[in-house]
Amino acid sequence: MAAMNDAVSNGTTLHYIFDPLCGWCYAAASLVDAAREVPGLKVEFHGGGMMTGANRRAITPQWRDYVMPHDHRIAEMTGQPFGERYFEGLLRDTGAVMDSEPPTTAVLAAESLRPGGGLDMIHALQRAHYVDGRRIADVEVLKAIAAELGFDAQAFASAFERQSGEATSRHIAESRQFLQRAGGQGFPTFVLVQPDGSAGRIDIGPWLGRAEEWKAQLGAFVAPPQSPSAEPNACGPDGCAI
């Protein structure tokens, strides 16, 4: 992917295509946090709606058996914590439904109230799900998490209502279009876009569990303005060479 004309900006941007119920997005959480600390790098999120509509899923014993090996692998590879309330609570709660739409709405509401609030909310939702075993598709749970992040209850409730329905559906549709243009195959997908619109996907596999090294390498792509004769950063069809 040589360029994404509609992604031209005034700086380098790391686009994070995610889903709040995606285990491998949780695996990459420390990489997202590290990227936010890179001076001059903007991080933007795009919720892809992995479990929406017909893909909503109720917790079942079969689902628990399917996801637990992946969760253990994520923990071993990255050190990300998984709580007993998740393994022995939520994953045994057959009344729970996994639906990506309400938590995605919460992310959009948080961002509308505070720059960076959306990424803060993503992190909090992942911890609530995978550590605390909370039902993050439950609106009352989402409001409680927002309060824990310091959002005013009434302001968040109003923002959540504004972002519900059509606004969230539009965001998910646009995110899926972005994923397709980027040539991504699923969640998470990371795309680094330079100010001139040149872009490339980044394979995060080698960086899982190596947040500080990832942060240093990303910093190399956020260079000060270069002279016309300088070599551009190595973003090409197969991603950025880091």
Side-chain angles (χ1 to χ4, degrees), residues 34-60:
R36 297 179 72 184
E37 297 175 357
V38 176
L41 179 65
K42 182 179 181 180
V43 181
E44 291 191 359
F45 63 83
H46 307 267
M50 181 177 71
M51 292 186 177
T52 56
N55 292 322
R56 294 166 72 245
R57 180 183 291 274
I59 298 287
T60 63

PDB file of all heavy atoms in Angstrom, residues 34-60:
ATOM      1  N   ALA A  34       2.690   2.254  24.478  1.00  0.00           N
ATOM      2  CA  ALA A  34       4.040   2.733  24.169  1.00  0.00           C
ATOM      3  C   ALA A  34       4.017   3.706  23.000  1.00  0.00           C
ATOM      4  O   ALA A  34       4.732   4.722  23.008  1.00  0.00           O
ATOM      5  CB  ALA A  34       4.959   1.547  23.866  1.00  0.00           C
ATOM      6  N   ALA A  35       3.205   3.419  21.985  1.00  0.00           N
ATOM      7  CA  ALA A  35       3.118   4.304  20.824  1.00  0.00           C
ATOM      8  C   ALA A  35       2.616   5.687  21.228  1.00  0.00           C
ATOM      9  O   ALA A  35       3.038   6.709  20.660  1.00  0.00           O
ATOM     10  CB  ALA A  35       2.192   3.691  19.774  1.00  0.00           C
ATOM     11  N   ARG A  36       1.729   5.730  22.205  1.00  0.00           N
ATOM     12  CA  ARG A  36       1.194   7.020  22.654  1.00  0.00           C
ATOM     13  C   ARG A  36       2.267   7.887  23.313  1.00  0.00           C
ATOM     14  O   ARG A  36       2.088   9.104  23.439  1.00  0.00           O
ATOM     15  CB  ARG A  36       0.038   6.789  23.641  1.00  0.00           C
ATOM     16  CG  ARG A  36      -1.140   6.073  23.043  1.00  0.00           C
ATOM     17  CD  ARG A  36      -2.249   5.850  24.065  1.00  0.00           C
ATOM     18  NE  ARG A  36      -2.944   7.098  24.394  1.00  0.00           N
ATOM     19  CZ  ARG A  36      -3.886   7.206  25.309  1.00  0.00           C
ATOM     20  NH1 ARG A  36      -4.235   6.138  26.021  1.00  0.00           N
ATOM     21  NH2 ARG A  36      -4.480   8.358  25.539  1.00  0.00           N
ATOM     22  N   GLU A  37       3.359   7.271  23.712  1.00  0.00           N
ATOM     23  CA  GLU A  37       4.438   8.000  24.369  1.00  0.00           C
ATOM     24  C   GLU A  37       5.503   8.483  23.391  1.00  0.00           C
ATOM     25  O   GLU A  37       6.448   9.160  23.798  1.00  0.00           O
ATOM     26  CB  GLU A  37       5.091   7.108  25.429  1.00  0.00           C
ATOM     27  CG  GLU A  37       4.146   6.703  26.553  1.00  0.00           C
ATOM     28  CD  GLU A  37       4.773   5.719  27.521  1.00  0.00           C
ATOM     29  OE1 GLU A  37       5.933   5.321  27.271  1.00  0.00           O
ATOM     30  OE2 GLU A  37       4.118   5.351  28.507  1.00  0.00           O
ATOM     31  N   VAL A  38       5.379   8.146  22.113  1.00  0.00           N
ATOM     32  CA  VAL A  38       6.374   8.556  21.120  1.00  0.00           C
ATOM     33  C   VAL A  38       6.120  10.015  20.744  1.00  0.00           C
ATOM     34  O   VAL A  38       5.058  10.343  20.212  1.00  0.00           O
ATOM     35  CB  VAL A  38       6.298   7.668  19.866  1.00  0.00           C
ATOM     36  CG1 VAL A  38       7.269   8.174  18.788  1.00  0.00           C
ATOM     37  CG2 VAL A  38       6.612   6.218  20.214  1.00  0.00           C
ATOM     38  N   PRO A  39       7.057  10.907  20.996  1.00  0.00           N
ATOM     39  CA  PRO A  39       6.852  12.327  20.650  1.00  0.00           C
ATOM     40  C   PRO A  39       6.606  12.504  19.156  1.00  0.00           C
ATOM     41  O   PRO A  39       7.301  11.929  18.326  1.00  0.00           O
ATOM     42  CB  PRO A  39       8.178  12.985  21.070  1.00  0.00           C
ATOM     43  CG  PRO A  39       8.758  12.060  22.094  1.00  0.00           C
ATOM     44  CD  PRO A  39       8.347  10.677  21.657  1.00  0.00           C
ATOM     45  N   GLY A  40       5.584  13.281  18.842  1.00  0.00           N
ATOM     46  CA  GLY A  40       5.290  13.583  17.451  1.00  0.00           C
ATOM     47  C   GLY A  40       4.465  12.544  16.731  1.00  0.00           C
ATOM     48  O   GLY A  40       4.134  12.731  15.551  1.00  0.00           O
ATOM     49  N   LEU A  41       4.118  11.449  17.389  1.00  0.00           N
ATOM     50  CA  LEU A  41       3.320  10.401  16.767  1.00  0.00           C
ATOM     51  C   LEU A  41       1.887  10.472  17.277  1.00  0.00           C
ATOM     52  O   LEU A  41       1.648  10.437  18.485  1.00  0.00           O
ATOM     53  CB  LEU A  41       3.899   9.020  17.067  1.00  0.00           C
ATOM     54  CG  LEU A  41       3.129   7.816  16.489  1.00  0.00           C
ATOM     55  CD1 LEU A  41       3.175   7.834  14.962  1.00  0.00           C
ATOM     56  CD2 LEU A  41       3.693   6.503  17.031  1.00  0.00           C
ATOM     57  N   LYS A  42       0.948  10.533  16.359  1.00  0.00           N
ATOM     58  CA  LYS A  42      -0.467  10.512  16.720  1.00  0.00           C
ATOM     59  C   LYS A  42      -0.987   9.095  16.575  1.00  0.00           C
ATOM     60  O   LYS A  42      -0.658   8.402  15.617  1.00  0.00           O
ATOM     61  CB  LYS A  42      -1.257  11.448  15.807  1.00  0.00           C
ATOM     62  CG  LYS A  42      -2.744  11.539  16.134  1.00  0.00           C
ATOM     63  CD  LYS A  42      -3.446  12.507  15.196  1.00  0.00           C
ATOM     64  CE  LYS A  42      -4.929  12.625  15.519  1.00  0.00           C
ATOM     65  NZ  LYS A  42      -5.617  13.564  14.595  1.00  0.00           N
ATOM     66  N   VAL A  43      -1.789   8.643  17.533  1.00  0.00           N
ATOM     67  CA  VAL A  43      -2.388   7.320  17.471  1.00  0.00           C
ATOM     68  C   VAL A  43      -3.894   7.486  17.313  1.00  0.00           C
ATOM     69  O   VAL A  43      -4.543   8.153  18.116  1.00  0.00           O
ATOM     70  CB  VAL A  43      -2.080   6.485  18.731  1.00  0.00           C
ATOM     71  CG1 VAL A  43      -2.714   5.100  18.622  1.00  0.00           C
ATOM     72  CG2 VAL A  43      -0.574   6.369  18.946  1.00  0.00           C
ATOM     73  N   GLU A  44      -4.438   6.894  16.247  1.00  0.00           N
ATOM     74  CA  GLU A  44      -5.875   6.952  16.000  1.00  0.00           C
ATOM     75  C   GLU A  44      -6.453   5.548  16.014  1.00  0.00           C
ATOM     76  O   GLU A  44      -5.828   4.609  15.517  1.00  0.00           O
ATOM     77  CB  GLU A  44      -6.169   7.614  14.648  1.00  0.00           C
ATOM     78  CG  GLU A  44      -5.837   9.104  14.612  1.00  0.00           C
ATOM     79  CD  GLU A  44      -6.368   9.789  13.366  1.00  0.00           C
ATOM     80  OE1 GLU A  44      -6.982   9.100  12.520  1.00  0.00           O
ATOM     81  OE2 GLU A  44      -6.157  11.009  13.243  1.00  0.00           O
ATOM     82  N   PHE A  45      -7.649   5.412  16.563  1.00  0.00           N
ATOM     83  CA  PHE A  45      -8.291   4.101  16.660  1.00  0.00           C
ATOM     84  C   PHE A  45      -9.421   3.974  15.649  1.00  0.00           C
ATOM     85  O   PHE A  45     -10.034   4.957  15.236  1.00  0.00           O
ATOM     86  CB  PHE A  45      -8.825   3.862  18.075  1.00  0.00           C
ATOM     87  CG  PHE A  45      -9.899   4.837  18.491  1.00  0.00           C
ATOM     88  CD1 PHE A  45     -11.227   4.640  18.120  1.00  0.00           C
ATOM     89  CD2 PHE A  45      -9.595   5.959  19.254  1.00  0.00           C
ATOM     90  CE1 PHE A  45     -12.224   5.530  18.490  1.00  0.00           C
ATOM     91  CE2 PHE A  45     -10.584   6.860  19.628  1.00  0.00           C
ATOM     92  CZ  PHE A  45     -11.897   6.648  19.243  1.00  0.00           C
ATOM     93  N   HIS A  46      -9.699   2.727  15.276  1.00  0.00           N
ATOM     94  CA  HIS A  46     -10.775   2.414  14.340  1.00  0.00           C
ATOM     95  C   HIS A  46     -11.417   1.100  14.807  1.00  0.00           C
ATOM     96  O   HIS A  46     -10.801   0.036  14.701  1.00  0.00           O
ATOM     97  CB  HIS A  46     -10.242   2.246  12.914  1.00  0.00           C
ATOM     98  CG  HIS A  46      -9.413   3.395  12.442  1.00  0.00           C
ATOM     99  ND1 HIS A  46      -9.941   4.460  11.737  1.00  0.00           N
ATOM    100  CD2 HIS A  46      -8.079   3.655  12.584  1.00  0.00           C
ATOM    101  CE1 HIS A  46      -8.979   5.321  11.464  1.00  0.00           C
ATOM    102  NE2 HIS A  46      -7.847   4.851  11.962  1.00  0.00           N
ATOM    103  N   GLY A  47     -12.620   1.170  15.344  1.00  0.00           N
ATOM    104  CA  GLY A  47     -13.296  -0.016  15.848  1.00  0.00           C
ATOM    105  C   GLY A  47     -13.990  -0.772  14.728  1.00  0.00           C
ATOM    106  O   GLY A  47     -14.890  -0.233  14.065  1.00  0.00           O
ATOM    107  N   GLY A  48     -13.593  -2.023  14.517  1.00  0.00           N
ATOM    108  CA  GLY A  48     -14.084  -2.779  13.367  1.00  0.00           C
ATOM    109  C   GLY A  48     -15.335  -3.604  13.590  1.00  0.00           C
ATOM    110  O   GLY A  48     -15.830  -4.235  12.655  1.00  0.00           O
ATOM    111  N   GLY A  49     -15.861  -3.634  14.809  1.00  0.00           N
ATOM    112  CA  GLY A  49     -17.128  -4.331  15.038  1.00  0.00           C
ATOM    113  C   GLY A  49     -17.063  -5.833  14.792  1.00  0.00           C
ATOM    114  O   GLY A  49     -17.918  -6.397  14.114  1.00  0.00           O
ATOM    115  N   MET A  50     -16.085  -6.489  15.380  1.00  0.00           N
ATOM    116  CA  MET A  50     -15.886  -7.925  15.157  1.00  0.00           C
ATOM    117  C   MET A  50     -17.099  -8.750  15.582  1.00  0.00           C
ATOM    118  O   MET A  50     -17.469  -9.722  14.912  1.00  0.00           O
ATOM    119  CB  MET A  50     -14.647  -8.394  15.929  1.00  0.00           C
ATOM    120  CG  MET A  50     -14.316  -9.866  15.766  1.00  0.00           C
ATOM    121  SD  MET A  50     -12.787 -10.319  16.631  1.00  0.00           S
ATOM    122  CE  MET A  50     -13.312 -10.223  18.354  1.00  0.00           C
ATOM    123  N   MET A  51     -17.714  -8.378  16.693  1.00  0.00           N
ATOM    124  CA  MET A  51     -18.867  -9.127  17.203  1.00  0.00           C
ATOM    125  C   MET A  51     -20.080  -8.208  17.271  1.00  0.00           C
ATOM    126  O   MET A  51     -20.491  -7.757  18.340  1.00  0.00           O
ATOM    127  CB  MET A  51     -18.560  -9.717  18.583  1.00  0.00           C
ATOM    128  CG  MET A  51     -17.523 -10.810  18.556  1.00  0.00           C
ATOM    129  SD  MET A  51     -17.317 -11.585  20.179  1.00  0.00           S
ATOM    130  CE  MET A  51     -16.124 -12.872  19.777  1.00  0.00           C
ATOM    131  N   THR A  52     -20.611  -7.912  16.084  1.00  0.00           N
ATOM    132  CA  THR A  52     -21.823  -7.098  16.004  1.00  0.00           C
ATOM    133  C   THR A  52     -22.833  -7.797  15.106  1.00  0.00           C
ATOM    134  O   THR A  52     -22.488  -8.676  14.313  1.00  0.00           O
ATOM    135  CB  THR A  52     -21.519  -5.697  15.429  1.00  0.00           C
ATOM    136  OG1 THR A  52     -20.882  -5.845  14.150  1.00  0.00           O
ATOM    137  CG2 THR A  52     -20.632  -4.894  16.357  1.00  0.00           C
ATOM    138  N   GLY A  53     -24.092  -7.402  15.248  1.00  0.00           N
ATOM    139  CA  GLY A  53     -25.130  -7.984  14.419  1.00  0.00           C
ATOM    140  C   GLY A  53     -25.208  -9.493  14.580  1.00  0.00           C
ATOM    141  O   GLY A  53     -25.270 -10.024  15.696  1.00  0.00           O
ATOM    142  N   ALA A  54     -25.155 -10.190  13.449  1.00  0.00           N
ATOM    143  CA  ALA A  54     -25.255 -11.649  13.467  1.00  0.00           C
ATOM    144  C   ALA A  54     -24.046 -12.305  14.104  1.00  0.00           C
ATOM    145  O   ALA A  54     -24.084 -13.497  14.439  1.00  0.00           O
ATOM    146  CB  ALA A  54     -25.426 -12.169  12.033  1.00  0.00           C
ATOM    147  N   ASN A  55     -22.976 -11.541  14.317  1.00  0.00           N
ATOM    148  CA  ASN A  55     -21.755 -12.102  14.916  1.00  0.00           C
ATOM    149  C   ASN A  55     -21.699 -11.936  16.430  1.00  0.00           C
ATOM    150  O   ASN A  55     -20.694 -12.312  17.049  1.00  0.00           O
ATOM    151  CB  ASN A  55     -20.521 -11.464  14.279  1.00  0.00           C
ATOM    152  CG  ASN A  55     -20.350 -11.872  12.827  1.00  0.00           C
ATOM    153  OD1 ASN A  55     -20.610 -13.010  12.459  1.00  0.00           O
ATOM    154  ND2 ASN A  55     -19.931 -10.922  11.991  1.00  0.00           N
ATOM    155  N   ARG A  56     -22.748 -11.367  17.017  1.00  0.00           N
ATOM    156  CA  ARG A  56     -22.814 -11.335  18.481  1.00  0.00           C
ATOM    157  C   ARG A  56     -22.807 -12.773  18.986  1.00  0.00           C
ATOM    158  O   ARG A  56     -23.357 -13.667  18.353  1.00  0.00           O
ATOM    159  CB  ARG A  56     -24.084 -10.615  18.946  1.00  0.00           C
ATOM    160  CG  ARG A  56     -24.106  -9.158  18.608  1.00  0.00           C
ATOM    161  CD  ARG A  56     -25.492  -8.555  18.774  1.00  0.00           C
ATOM    162  NE  ARG A  56     -25.877  -8.427  20.177  1.00  0.00           N
ATOM    163  CZ  ARG A  56     -26.871  -9.091  20.754  1.00  0.00           C
ATOM    164  NH1 ARG A  56     -27.584  -9.986  20.071  1.00  0.00           N
ATOM    165  NH2 ARG A  56     -27.160  -8.897  22.014  1.00  0.00           N
ATOM    166  N   ARG A  57     -22.205 -12.965  20.141  1.00  0.00           N
ATOM    167  CA  ARG A  57     -22.036 -14.348  20.603  1.00  0.00           C
ATOM    168  C   ARG A  57     -22.322 -14.468  22.097  1.00  0.00           C
ATOM    169  O   ARG A  57     -21.821 -13.678  22.903  1.00  0.00           O
ATOM    170  CB  ARG A  57     -20.591 -14.805  20.320  1.00  0.00           C
ATOM    171  CG  ARG A  57     -20.295 -16.229  20.757  1.00  0.00           C
ATOM    172  CD  ARG A  57     -18.836 -16.555  20.497  1.00  0.00           C
ATOM    173  NE  ARG A  57     -18.547 -16.649  19.087  1.00  0.00           N
ATOM    174  CZ  ARG A  57     -18.702 -17.748  18.362  1.00  0.00           C
ATOM    175  NH1 ARG A  57     -19.169 -18.851  18.920  1.00  0.00           N
ATOM    176  NH2 ARG A  57     -18.389 -17.758  17.084  1.00  0.00           N
ATOM    177  N   ALA A  58     -23.105 -15.459  22.452  1.00  0.00           N
ATOM    178  CA  ALA A  58     -23.342 -15.759  23.865  1.00  0.00           C
ATOM    179  C   ALA A  58     -22.192 -16.616  24.390  1.00  0.00           C
ATOM    180  O   ALA A  58     -21.592 -17.405  23.647  1.00  0.00           O
ATOM    181  CB  ALA A  58     -24.664 -16.499  24.033  1.00  0.00           C
ATOM    182  N   ILE A  59     -21.871 -16.443  25.671  1.00  0.00           N
ATOM    183  CA  ILE A  59     -20.857 -17.292  26.298  1.00  0.00           C
ATOM    184  C   ILE A  59     -21.416 -18.715  26.410  1.00  0.00           C
ATOM    185  O   ILE A  59     -22.539 -18.921  26.869  1.00  0.00           O
ATOM    186  CB  ILE A  59     -20.498 -16.767  27.697  1.00  0.00           C
ATOM    187  CG1 ILE A  59     -19.889 -15.362  27.607  1.00  0.00           C
ATOM    188  CG2 ILE A  59     -19.560 -17.727  28.408  1.00  0.00           C
ATOM    189  CD1 ILE A  59     -18.489 -15.316  27.054  1.00  0.00           C
ATOM    190  N   THR A  60     -20.618 -19.674  25.986  1.00  0.00           N
ATOM    191  CA  THR A  60     -20.984 -21.088  26.107  1.00  0.00           C
ATOM    192  C   THR A  60     -19.760 -21.862  26.583  1.00  0.00           C
ATOM    193  O   THR A  60     -18.627 -21.381  26.478  1.00  0.00           O
ATOM    194  CB  THR A  60     -21.426 -21.671  24.753  1.00  0.00           C
ATOM    195  OG1 THR A  60     -20.307 -21.618  23.843  1.00  0.00           O
ATOM    196  CG2 THR A  60     -22.606 -20.909  24.168  1.00  0.00           C
TER     197      THR A  60
END
